[in-house]
Amino acid sequence: MSRLFRIAIDGPAASGKSTTAKLLAKKLGFGYIDSGAMYRAVTLKCLEQGVQVTNDAKVKQTANSAQIRFPSLGKVELDGQDVSDAIRTSRIVQNISPIASNPGVRATLANQQRALARANDPAWRGFLFKQSTQVRGVVMDGRDIGTVILPDAELKVFIVADARVRAQRRFDELASKNALGEGETVDAIAKDLAARDEADRTRAVSPLKKAEDAVELDTSDKTIDEQVAAIEQMVYDRL
Ligand code: DC
């Protein structure tokens, strides 16, 4: 027997979604799709091509022409170039909100995200459950995965974490990659995160919102391993 199992993980910025989702995918042998990376890649393309991020029509055109791929776990390609690091800078984050609230961009990326979740890539080995059922699937993280992209996902998790904890995590992540901007502090990051959360929560299209049937997971006091283990258990409980 074989079963498809899709896991939607949503939550605010720096809540630990991506790290958790990636490790979970690795552990279960599932595919991993980082939907935020797709919005970041479109933002990068606009900045590189000098497209004003507030010019909705031009931004939409740019999104339509962007070829975004996930060649391996955690790697992102834009138009054939590895942009895994280039999409993680503060400059991208500062310009992303108008792009993420552009309905044309969301429609294009939503189609691609749904197609990716159906792709059933041979690299998604999955795992054998109770010696008889091969469980294969995908973990997708973002803001609207459980509500809009995969409303019928087999498991939906909404991750939350204290704002200060999130700012410190993001600071540590940027510092470890030597990607901290000049004079960037935890306070400045906290402000940025608060502004981005507000923009994500209040935008008209696909706002950040917990799906009614999502399980809320507060990671403020959890290690990454604990977060992964908690979601893994939810998967087994649903099989
Ligand atoms: O998860 P992240 O920080 O990489 O996301 C970057 C931005 O993209 C974030 O500000 C909101 C947006 N985003 C979105 O609107 N919908 C998604 N499904 C994922 C990300």
Side-chain angles (χ1 to χ4, degrees), residues 165-220:
V165 171
R166 290 191 283 129
Q168 185 67 50
R169 281 181 188 160
R170 188 46 59 94
F171 180 89
D172 294 344
E173 185 191 333
L174 290 171
S176 75
K177 289 182 187 152
N178 265 331
L180 274 176
E182 183 82 5
E184 202 160 3
T185 60
V186 177
D187 278 343
I189 292 175
K191 248 193 180 160
D192 254 17
L193 286 179
R196 196 142 63 100
D197 286 354
E198 180 65 12
D200 287 347
R201 279 204 189 94
T202 55
R203 68 171 173 236
V205 248
S206 301
L208 168 66
K209 198 172 94 190
K210 176 177 169 291
E212 269 179 22
D213 51 350
V215 183
E216 185 165 309
L217 183 68
D218 188 333
T219 67
S220 307

XYZ file of all heavy atoms in Angstrom, residues 165-220:
425
model
N 12.043 36.196 20.921
C 12.754 34.945 20.616
C 12.993 34.857 19.105
O 14.073 34.502 18.636
C 11.929 33.717 21.093
C 12.529 32.405 20.610
C 11.789 33.711 22.610
N 11.987 35.252 18.334
C 12.119 35.193 16.875
C 13.188 36.145 16.378
O 13.984 35.805 15.505
C 10.770 35.507 16.209
C 9.762 34.384 16.418
C 8.551 34.555 15.556
N 7.625 35.559 16.029
C 7.141 36.541 15.293
N 7.480 36.670 14.034
N 6.303 37.410 15.813
N 13.236 37.354 16.959
C 14.231 38.340 16.536
C 15.639 37.833 16.858
O 16.558 37.962 16.034
C 13.971 39.676 17.223
N 15.800 37.244 18.025
C 17.120 36.720 18.410
C 17.540 35.578 17.475
O 18.684 35.508 17.023
C 17.068 36.223 19.870
C 18.415 35.769 20.423
C 19.410 36.928 20.582
O 19.074 37.943 21.167
N 20.611 36.771 20.025
N 16.589 34.709 17.147
C 16.898 33.597 16.232
C 17.346 34.123 14.871
O 18.287 33.621 14.282
C 15.654 32.727 16.016
C 15.373 31.773 17.147
C 14.138 30.977 16.765
N 13.668 30.161 17.863
C 12.436 29.683 17.949
N 11.547 29.951 17.016
N 12.082 28.936 18.963
N 16.613 35.110 14.363
C 16.959 35.651 13.039
C 18.326 36.327 13.078
O 19.133 36.171 12.157
C 15.851 36.618 12.590
C 15.886 37.168 11.183
C 16.155 36.202 10.067
N 15.258 35.082 9.864
C 14.223 35.049 9.053
N 13.893 36.099 8.354
N 13.522 33.950 8.894
N 18.607 37.044 14.179
C 19.913 37.701 14.357
C 21.020 36.635 14.319
O 22.016 36.779 13.598
C 19.927 38.457 15.697
C 21.222 39.177 15.981
C 21.414 40.489 15.547
C 22.246 38.552 16.689
C 22.607 41.161 15.816
C 23.438 39.210 16.948
C 23.615 40.515 16.520
N 20.849 35.557 15.094
C 21.864 34.493 15.166
C 22.072 33.848 13.794
O 23.198 33.540 13.403
C 21.453 33.408 16.175
C 21.434 33.948 17.608
O 22.021 35.034 17.854
O 20.819 33.297 18.486
N 20.946 33.662 13.075
C 21.029 33.028 11.754
C 21.834 33.916 10.787
O 22.725 33.443 10.088
C 19.600 32.827 11.240
C 19.480 32.076 9.940
C 18.052 32.161 9.377
O 17.094 32.318 10.161
O 17.919 32.094 8.148
N 21.516 35.232 10.792
C 22.231 36.150 9.896
C 23.704 36.236 10.292
O 24.587 36.234 9.441
C 21.590 37.550 9.934
C 20.214 37.675 9.283
C 19.599 39.037 9.584
C 20.297 37.480 7.770
N 23.968 36.281 11.613
C 25.356 36.385 12.095
C 26.151 35.151 11.664
O 27.304 35.275 11.221
C 25.374 36.532 13.613
N 25.524 33.981 11.742
C 26.248 32.751 11.400
C 26.586 32.706 9.917
O 27.491 32.010 9.489
C 25.445 31.519 11.812
O 24.379 31.340 10.899
N 25.830 33.457 9.120
C 26.103 33.477 7.670
C 26.873 34.730 7.278
O 27.005 35.024 6.093
C 24.784 33.466 6.901
C 24.058 32.164 6.972
C 22.799 32.273 6.134
C 21.935 31.060 6.282
N 20.519 31.368 6.070
N 27.314 35.504 8.272
C 27.999 36.764 7.997
C 27.147 37.682 7.147
O 27.662 38.418 6.298
C 29.314 36.500 7.249
C 30.463 36.429 8.215
O 30.423 37.076 9.279
N 31.459 35.644 7.874
N 25.832 37.622 7.350
C 24.930 38.397 6.494
C 24.285 39.555 7.250
O 23.318 40.154 6.765
C 23.865 37.474 5.918
N 24.809 39.870 8.443
C 24.233 40.988 9.212
C 24.559 42.300 8.512
O 25.697 42.522 8.110
C 24.834 41.015 10.621
C 24.175 40.139 11.684
C 24.959 40.232 12.977
C 22.718 40.538 11.916
N 23.551 43.149 8.376
C 23.780 44.462 7.777
C 24.582 45.327 8.741
O 24.667 45.023 9.930
N 25.137 46.390 8.226
C 25.924 47.347 9.016
C 25.097 47.819 10.230
O 23.986 48.315 10.062
C 26.230 48.499 8.050
C 27.067 49.591 8.521
C 28.552 49.416 8.488
O 29.088 48.418 7.990
O 29.185 50.360 9.002
N 25.622 47.619 11.439
C 24.949 48.101 12.653
C 23.614 47.433 12.956
O 22.825 47.942 13.753
N 23.325 46.286 12.328
C 22.049 45.603 12.536
C 21.994 45.018 13.963
O 22.925 44.360 14.394
C 21.888 44.482 11.502
C 20.452 44.098 11.285
C 20.240 43.359 9.965
O 21.206 43.096 9.239
O 19.071 43.047 9.682
N 20.911 45.273 14.672
C 20.780 44.804 16.055
C 19.534 43.932 16.188
O 18.681 43.902 15.281
C 20.604 46.007 17.013
O 19.413 46.696 16.603
C 21.801 46.940 16.974
N 19.418 43.261 17.350
C 18.233 42.443 17.604
C 16.991 43.344 17.595
O 15.950 42.975 17.041
C 18.361 41.687 18.954
C 17.093 40.892 19.248
C 19.566 40.759 18.939
N 17.137 44.554 18.159
C 16.000 45.488 18.203
C 15.525 45.860 16.799
O 14.322 45.895 16.525
C 16.402 46.782 18.925
C 16.300 46.600 20.430
O 15.630 45.639 20.854
O 16.912 47.403 21.162
N 16.514 46.147 15.930
C 16.154 46.535 14.561
C 15.446 45.375 13.862
O 14.462 45.576 13.136
C 17.411 46.939 13.794
N 15.953 44.160 14.098
C 15.329 42.988 13.465
C 13.917 42.783 14.013
O 12.986 42.479 13.266
C 16.205 41.727 13.666
C 17.497 41.899 12.862
C 15.467 40.465 13.237
C 18.506 40.810 13.045
N 13.757 42.994 15.335
C 12.432 42.843 15.961
C 11.439 43.797 15.301
O 10.284 43.437 15.028
C 12.521 43.097 17.457
N 11.898 45.011 15.022
C 11.037 46.013 14.376
C 10.643 45.571 12.973
O 9.483 45.664 12.574
C 11.820 47.331 14.266
C 11.270 48.420 15.134
C 11.900 49.721 14.717
C 11.366 50.839 15.563
N 12.264 51.996 15.512
N 11.648 45.095 12.234
C 11.427 44.595 10.869
C 10.424 43.444 10.853
O 9.519 43.400 10.021
C 12.743 44.010 10.337
C 13.399 44.912 9.319
O 13.017 46.089 9.265
O 14.295 44.421 8.603
N 10.610 42.521 11.793
C 9.729 41.349 11.867
C 8.305 41.783 12.178
O 7.354 41.291 11.574
C 10.197 40.364 12.956
C 11.446 39.528 12.664
C 11.774 38.633 13.856
C 11.247 38.660 11.429
N 8.174 42.733 13.127
C 6.841 43.206 13.511
C 6.143 43.848 12.314
O 4.949 43.613 12.074
C 6.944 44.183 14.674
N 6.907 44.628 11.541
C 6.320 45.295 10.376
C 5.898 44.264 9.335
O 4.832 44.358 8.714
C 7.330 46.271 9.779
N 6.755 43.239 9.147
C 6.455 42.214 8.137
C 5.255 41.365 8.584
O 4.379 41.046 7.778
C 7.695 41.342 7.919
C 7.642 40.521 6.668
C 8.987 40.448 6.004
N 9.970 39.789 6.831
C 10.325 38.513 6.677
N 9.749 37.779 5.756
N 11.252 37.983 7.423
N 5.191 41.026 9.870
C 4.039 40.251 10.389
C 2.747 41.015 10.157
O 1.744 40.453 9.735
C 4.168 40.035 11.911
C 5.229 38.999 12.247
O 5.769 38.372 11.319
O 5.514 38.839 13.452
N 2.805 42.318 10.458
C 1.618 43.154 10.310
C 1.180 43.175 8.839
O 0.002 43.013 8.527
C 1.958 44.577 10.821
C 0.834 45.588 10.749
C -0.349 45.261 11.660
O -0.208 44.368 12.526
O -1.410 45.889 11.479
N 2.165 43.353 7.943
C 1.844 43.372 6.509
C 1.280 42.019 6.075
O 0.309 41.945 5.316
C 3.098 43.711 5.697
N 1.867 40.914 6.569
C 1.401 39.568 6.188
C -0.010 39.290 6.708
O -0.813 38.650 6.042
C 2.350 38.488 6.748
C 3.683 38.427 6.003
O 3.783 39.025 4.916
O 4.622 37.788 6.518
N -0.286 39.782 7.940
C -1.588 39.494 8.564
C -2.728 40.318 8.000
O -3.871 39.895 8.007
C -1.528 39.811 10.062
C -0.902 38.714 10.849
C -1.350 38.729 12.313
N -0.536 37.772 13.031
C 0.581 38.093 13.670
N 0.973 39.345 13.722
N 1.295 37.157 14.264
N -2.396 41.535 7.538
C -3.483 42.451 7.169
C -3.670 42.601 5.665
O -4.546 43.337 5.239
C -3.231 43.853 7.779
O -1.936 44.284 7.350
C -3.273 43.826 9.294
N -2.837 41.920 4.863
C -3.006 42.104 3.410
C -4.314 41.452 2.956
O -4.810 40.508 3.585
C -1.796 41.551 2.651
C -1.682 40.069 2.726
C -0.614 39.524 1.787
N -0.476 38.113 2.065
C 0.636 37.503 2.402
N 1.765 38.178 2.474
N 0.649 36.208 2.642
N -4.826 41.990 1.826
C -6.136 41.542 1.361
C -6.096 40.100 0.841
O -7.007 39.315 1.081
C -6.630 42.483 0.275
N -5.050 39.768 0.082
C -4.987 38.414 -0.501
C -4.176 37.472 0.386
O -3.061 37.792 0.789
C -4.264 38.388 -1.883
C -5.208 38.067 -2.989
C -3.470 39.641 -2.120
N -4.734 36.314 0.668
C -4.044 35.262 1.411
C -3.275 35.754 2.635
O -2.071 35.549 2.737
C -3.060 34.527 0.488
O -3.718 33.977 -0.592
N -3.949 36.415 3.564
C -3.221 36.879 4.747
C -2.736 35.711 5.608
O -3.264 34.600 5.492
C -4.273 37.689 5.506
C -5.582 37.159 5.057
C -5.387 36.708 3.642
N -1.736 35.992 6.431
C -1.244 34.986 7.373
C -2.337 34.719 8.395
O -2.760 35.641 9.104
C 0.013 35.528 8.080
C 0.488 34.733 9.298
C 0.973 33.349 8.893
C 1.600 35.474 10.015
N -2.790 33.468 8.446
C -3.913 33.133 9.322
C -3.862 31.645 9.625
O -3.540 30.848 8.752
C -5.215 33.457 8.558
C -6.432 33.589 9.423
C -7.599 34.091 8.599
C -8.412 32.918 8.097
N -9.401 33.194 7.133
N -4.189 31.287 10.846
C -4.206 29.861 11.206
C -5.435 29.219 10.581
O -6.542 29.735 10.731
C -4.234 29.746 12.729
C -4.340 28.340 13.262
C -4.287 28.373 14.792
C -4.642 27.055 15.403
N -6.043 26.668 15.252
N -5.249 28.104 9.880
C -6.405 27.381 9.343
C -7.184 26.807 10.522
O -6.591 26.467 11.547
C -5.935 26.248 8.426
N -8.500 26.701 10.377
C -9.318 26.215 11.502
C -8.888 24.848 11.995
O -8.933 24.563 13.184
C -10.786 26.170 11.082
C -11.465 27.474 11.413
C -12.914 27.500 10.999
O -13.515 26.422 10.838
O -13.430 28.624 10.832
N -8.465 24.013 11.050
C -8.091 22.643 11.442
C -6.582 22.470 11.618
O -6.071 21.361 11.584
C -8.635 21.640 10.422
C -8.265 22.004 8.993
O -7.749 23.125 8.762
O -8.471 21.176 8.095
N -5.846 23.593 11.803
C -4.395 23.485 12.028
C -4.101 23.299 13.516
O -4.837 23.778 14.372
C -3.700 24.746 11.522
N -3.009 22.581 13.795
C -2.560 22.414 15.174
C -1.580 23.544 15.465
O -0.650 23.774 14.689
C -1.788 21.082 15.337
C -1.374 20.873 16.791
C -2.611 19.916 14.825
N -1.785 24.273 16.566
C -0.857 25.363 16.898
C 0.309 24.815 17.716
O 0.111 24.054 18.661
C -1.595 26.455 17.681
C -0.709 27.662 17.931
C -1.494 28.884 18.382
O -2.484 29.239 17.718
O -1.086 29.470 19.395
N 1.516 25.201 17.312
C 2.712 24.727 18.020
C 3.532 25.948 18.430
O 4.017 26.688 17.568
C 3.513 23.813 17.080
C 4.762 23.161 17.636
C 4.413 22.118 18.700
C 5.567 22.472 16.519
N 3.675 26.160 19.737
C 4.461 27.297 20.224
C 5.903 26.833 20.431
O 6.161 25.930 21.219
C 3.873 27.811 21.544
C 4.536 29.109 21.993
O 5.704 29.344 21.633
O 3.878 29.890 22.695
N 6.816 27.432 19.684
C 8.206 26.957 19.725
C 9.120 27.843 20.573
O 10.335 27.649 20.565
C 8.790 26.869 18.291
O 8.894 28.203 17.767
C 7.924 26.025 17.382
N 8.529 28.815 21.309
C 9.366 29.764 22.075
C 10.378 29.040 22.971
O 11.518 29.466 23.084
C 8.504 30.660 22.959
O 7.515 31.270 22.193
